[in-house]
Amino acid sequence: DQVLHIVPETFQQVQHLQQLCSTLLLDLWKPQLSEDIWAGEDLHIRVPAPLVQEVKDSLDQHMIFYKVLIPDVQKLVDQSMPRERSSHRQVSEGYVYTQYHPMEVIYQWMTQIQKNNSELVTQHYLGKTIENRTMYYLQISQPSDKTKKIIWMDCGIHAREWISPAFCQWFVKEILQNYKSDPKISRFLQNLDLYILPVLNIDGYIYSWEKDRLWRKNRSSHMNGTCYGTDLNRNFNSSWGSIGVSYNCSSEIFCGSGPESEPETRAVAQLIERKKSDILCYLTIHSYGQYILTPYGSTTKPPSNSEELMHVAKQAAAALMGKHGTSYEVGSTSSILYSNSGSSRDWAHMIGIPFSYTFELRDKGTHGFVLPPDQIQPTCEETM
Amino acid sequence: DINGVGQKYHLELVLEDVLDKDSTVNCTAEVLYHLGNNIPPDVQFTIEGELKNAEEADNIFYNRIKSLEKELVAENIPDSHGNVSPEMEPVHLLAWVASGYVIWQNSTENTKFQLAQIKRVKQVKRSDEYLEFDYTILLHEMVSQEIIPWQMTVLWHPRHSVQVTQDSRQPKHASE
């Protein structure tokens, strides 16, 4: 739709414009009523998109000069709208995967996803957060008589990395939309089960929506309530507390009071420990930096299967680049990023899961944690 | 490794125009980190070719700000969802440039800073031709993962380079 600005010069032009407005039922913004259109006075009319050309032709025919005041009304409307918060409309087929969603909506989405895809998807209780919220993961599993190996993926271990839960949601959608038609995906599901945890650090995620966009840790309280938050990715039992951490609660990399001190860490660790003999691959999604990180962060000594780990990761990075040209660096955390201990990825590998990777999604710092929503789609597409 | 002085790095890099991804320029640089890390690193660089001329856009922005009735004030650029309104783009870019100076002055071999967000920006009235902005920015440091609020006073005019006349690290809760 466009809004045109016209200053009619003669009475004849005024009459023509009045006729145009009443015949085509155009939306007068200024003046409000057709009777108030005068020669020499500003006229603003909103013309619906399908009629734009017809109206302009008619104006040209009558030598009525006009200017386009607003070339795209919808764009202006969208820009001026505050983000919608929880909205039932947004779940299921209407769900907008190219927008960031608050936790309330993600909970609804999980329920809907299971409902709409009950032959494949089951929602499972994982545990409770420190603020007593329920953690759920989705199991995508094609019924079959053989036991399948498992791929585990968790998102949102760090609250501010919003692109991460957005990716988990996208991933689930892609699998469910295409498993019948895409031979690769269908073969995948014949042999593998997918366990997806869309938001691991639920309390932190909510806090980043409501109070502090750049919050990272969970919301456990320390020092008599004067300090909050443990870095969940320093809290796992993999060389816990040895390097790249702080023992001070006020730090962003505070490793907690002990390994698995946090309920969120325990909830994840317990499940993975239970199923570890069937888990082939552990993936944990973060941002930003554009890296595919292999174990370890706590030491530069390479893991036993490091060649294979690197080979697979390099192939992943190449495939990713093929989509939108985005380059991801591949290597162990301790060699290409920094040293850290207590990470979930290190722990998963140490207990015997052969393929364990951390993905650091877009970008390289230009937007950092605050990645604009128009990058959700390309980021998710290439990571897929 | 330069004994008794520090560590010197020789870099070959490609500069990419943020506003035009296809526009790139080759650059070589030498960075010397001093022992002890209390002085900012020395940087020498050469650029192959020319940087794009932004005179027109600079003038449009300059004139727009000069013609404002009230001094510009804004918060949270980008917003939580990563959006920057078109009017605020130049304010954002100016902060980016200025933060580069602050980052340089505070970098060591063990830090990696990025501008995370502009928390607040206030235009300061001036009687001369310069534009002055008082920014509170949030810097993200990769190794410690800390978000560090920083105040910086930025001076600019289309025909002069960006100047940071004053800057100071703020206590953690200054951004609330």
Side-chain angles (χ1 to χ4, degrees):
Chain A
D1 291 7
Q2 295 194 344
V3 175
L4 305 180
H5 175 207
I6 301 162
V7 183
E9 292 165 13
T10 66
F11 183 57
Q12 265 171 336
Q13 288 188 352
V14 170
Q15 278 187 318
H16 175 72
L17 287 162
Q18 286 172 329
Q19 209 176 33
L20 205 61
C21 287
S22 63
T23 330
L24 296 177
L25 298 174
L26 298 178
D27 181 13
L28 271 176
W29 282 18
K30 179 180 169 161
Q32 305 247 311
L33 301 170
S34 182
E35 307 85 271
D36 295 328
I37 300 177
W38 293 99
E41 300 276 314
D42 281 342
L43 173 66
H44 296 171
I45 324 175
R46 179 184 66 86
V47 183
L51 295 174
V52 166
Q53 200 49 57
E54 184 180 331
V55 167
K56 286 180 176 173
D57 288 343
S58 171
L59 294 175
D60 289 336
Q61 256 177 14
H62 288 77
M63 308 270 269
I64 299 176
F65 195 66
Y66 64 89
K67 253 178 32 186
V68 179
L69 192 64
I70 301 175
D72 187 340
V73 178
Q74 189 57 50
K75 200 159 173 206
L76 227 54
V77 169
D78 292 339
Q79 273 172 15
S80 66
M81 286 294 224
R83 294 285 147 181
E84 279 178 62
R85 292 296 157 124
S86 72
S87 164
H88 287 274
R89 271 185 290 125
Q90 288 197 27
V91 191
S92 84
E93 289 96 37
Y95 200 72
V96 184
Y97 289 91
T98 50
Q99 250 178 51
Y100 297 114
H101 296 289
M103 196 61 213
E104 245 168 85
V105 175
I106 299 179
Y107 272 127
Q108 285 165 24
W109 170 81
M110 277 195 272
T111 311
Q112 275 295 341
I113 286 287
Q114 179 183 283
K115 223 161 131 201
N116 296 346
N117 300 277
S118 50
E119 71 284 7
L120 227 50
V121 182
T122 42
Q123 184 176 329
H124 296 264
Y125 174 87
L126 188 67
K128 291 257 186 175
T129 67
I130 192 75
E131 289 182 337
N132 213 28
R133 294 189 175 90
T134 311
M135 298 166 72
Y136 294 110
Y137 67 94
L138 296 172
Q139 181 180 340
I140 304 178
S141 184
Q142 201 153 50
S144 136
D145 32 346
K146 57 175 175 182
T147 39
K148 285 175 256 140
K149 288 293 183 184
I150 299 168
I151 297 191
W152 166 279
M153 181 164 77
D154 60 63
C155 293
I157 194 174
H158 289 140
R160 58 194 180 200
E161 298 166 12
W162 286 15
I163 186 67
S164 168
F167 173 70
C168 265
Q169 292 164 68
W170 179 284
F171 180 84
V172 168
K173 171 220 14 140
E174 276 296 306
I175 299 286
L176 296 176
Q177 260 177 18
N178 300 306
Y179 75 97
K180 290 196 187 128
S181 53
D182 185 324
K184 265 203 270 198
I185 299 183
S186 101
R187 221 183 76 195
F188 221 72
L189 290 182
Q190 272 162 38
N191 299 301
L192 296 162
D193 284 347
L194 300 169
Y195 287 36
I196 316 287
L197 174 55
V199 185
L200 197 160
N201 180 6
I202 297 174
D203 300 340
Y205 185 68
I206 293 176
Y207 194 78
S208 75
W209 270 78
E210 296 180 348
K211 294 272 166 40
D212 182 355
R213 176 60 176 85
L214 296 173
W215 188 259
R216 169 183 166 88
K217 306 181 286 179
N218 77 345
R219 293 293 300 165
S220 60
S221 119
H222 303 267
M223 312 211 315
N224 277 328
T226 59
C227 181
Y228 285 85
T230 297
D231 183 345
L232 295 173
N233 205 33
R234 300 286 187 278
N235 189 238
F236 282 79
N237 196 11
S238 43
S239 307
W240 178 86
S242 59
I243 190 173
V245 296
S246 167
Y247 307 112
N248 195 325
C249 167
S250 49
S251 163
E252 295 281 11
I253 49 178
F254 172 54
C255 53
S257 51
E260 294 187 16
S261 59
E262 308 304 301
E264 296 92 345
T265 313
R266 280 199 304 277
V268 173
Q270 272 160 24
L271 183 96
I272 296 190
E273 178 73 52
R274 234 186 329 127
K275 306 242 179 191
K276 69 178 175 192
S277 49
D278 287 324
I279 302 179
L280 178 65
C281 177
Y282 173 84
L283 296 172
T284 178
I285 312 294
H286 294 236
S287 77
Y288 55 89
Q290 291 172 204
Y291 301 105
I292 299 178
L293 300 167
T294 59
Y296 296 107
S298 51
T299 167
T300 46
K301 192 180 106 187
S304 49
N305 62 338
S306 91
E307 246 177 64
E308 210 185 354
L309 271 171
M310 282 297 288
H311 179 69
V312 171
K314 286 200 176 132
Q315 286 195 315
L320 202 155
M321 185 168 216
K323 188 77 186 176
H324 294 295
T326 313
S327 66
Y328 269 60
E329 235 181 291
V330 175
S332 78
T333 302
S334 54
S335 62
I336 66 175
L337 201 52
Y338 43 57
S339 295
N340 69 352
S341 56
S343 74
S344 65
R345 177 222 44 236
D346 280 3
W347 175 78
H349 193 272
M350 285 176 181
I351 63 165
I353 295 170
F355 294 97
S356 188
Y357 298 99
T358 304
F359 270 72
E360 295 276 356
L361 301 178
R362 289 196 191 183
D363 58 18
K364 291 207 75 74
T366 309
H367 297 93
F369 300 118
V370 203
L371 195 68
D374 61 12
Q375 284 209 39
I376 296 179
Q377 180 158 338
T379 306
C380 293
E381 280 175 346
E382 68 196 6
T383 313
M384 201 81 204
Chain B
D1 196 2
I2 303 181
N3 273 331
V5 180
Q7 298 269 70
K8 196 178 216 181
Y9 293 86
H10 176 82
L11 303 167
E12 280 169 27
L13 51 143
V14 178
L15 302 180
E16 183 186 83
D17 188 342
V18 167
L19 301 174
D20 178 10
K21 303 277 168 183
D22 297 322
S23 174
T24 61
V25 135
N26 290 333
C27 174
T28 52
E30 300 228 319
V31 180
L32 172 61
Y33 289 101
H34 296 271
L35 271 182
N37 284 330
N38 344 354
I39 336 175
D42 289 340
V43 179
Q44 307 273 350
F45 68 93
T46 47
I47 303 185
E48 239 176 67
E50 272 175 23
L51 296 176
K52 218 161 68 159
N53 181 305
E55 218 178 287
E56 199 184 321
D58 282 353
N59 286 327
I60 293 176
F61 173 57
Y62 181 78
N63 289 323
R64 181 161 67 83
I65 303 295
K66 272 292 183 186
S67 63
L68 289 176
E69 279 172 13
K70 263 178 47 186
E71 280 79 44
L72 182 142
V73 171
E75 284 185 346
N76 291 336
I77 302 169
D79 68 17
S80 283
H81 293 253
N83 298 309
V84 178
S85 68
E87 310 85 67
M88 285 302 148
E89 256 309 312
V91 174
H92 187 215
L93 292 170
L94 184 61
W96 216 343
V97 174
S99 69
Y101 171 78
V102 172
I103 289 172
W104 166 38
Q105 295 292 298
N106 291 279
S107 286
T108 72
E109 275 173 284
N110 300 309
T111 60
K112 186 165 143 95
F113 287 100
Q114 294 282 357
L115 173 65
Q117 197 186 33
I118 299 169
K119 205 63 194 153
R120 231 172 280 117
V121 58
K122 225 173 53 181
Q123 184 188 356
V124 178
K125 203 175 163 86
R126 282 184 78 90
S127 48
D128 62 17
E129 48 168 12
Y130 280 88
L131 294 183
E132 182 176 330
F133 296 96
D134 181 14
Y135 283 95
T136 301
I137 57 173
L138 297 176
L139 292 177
H140 170 234
E141 202 286 295
M142 188 65 90
V143 180
S144 62
Q145 287 295 327
E146 293 297 329
I147 301 291
I148 308 168
W150 212 288
Q151 179 274 332
M152 57 182 194
T153 306
V154 182
L155 232 55
W156 178 71
H157 180 275
R159 251 160 301 297
H160 302 282
S161 45
V162 177
Q163 271 180 284
V164 177
T165 54
Q166 196 220 353
D167 73 273
S168 62
R169 188 179 171 135
Q170 301 295 301
K172 216 170 177 183
H173 295 286
S175 60
E176 300 303 317

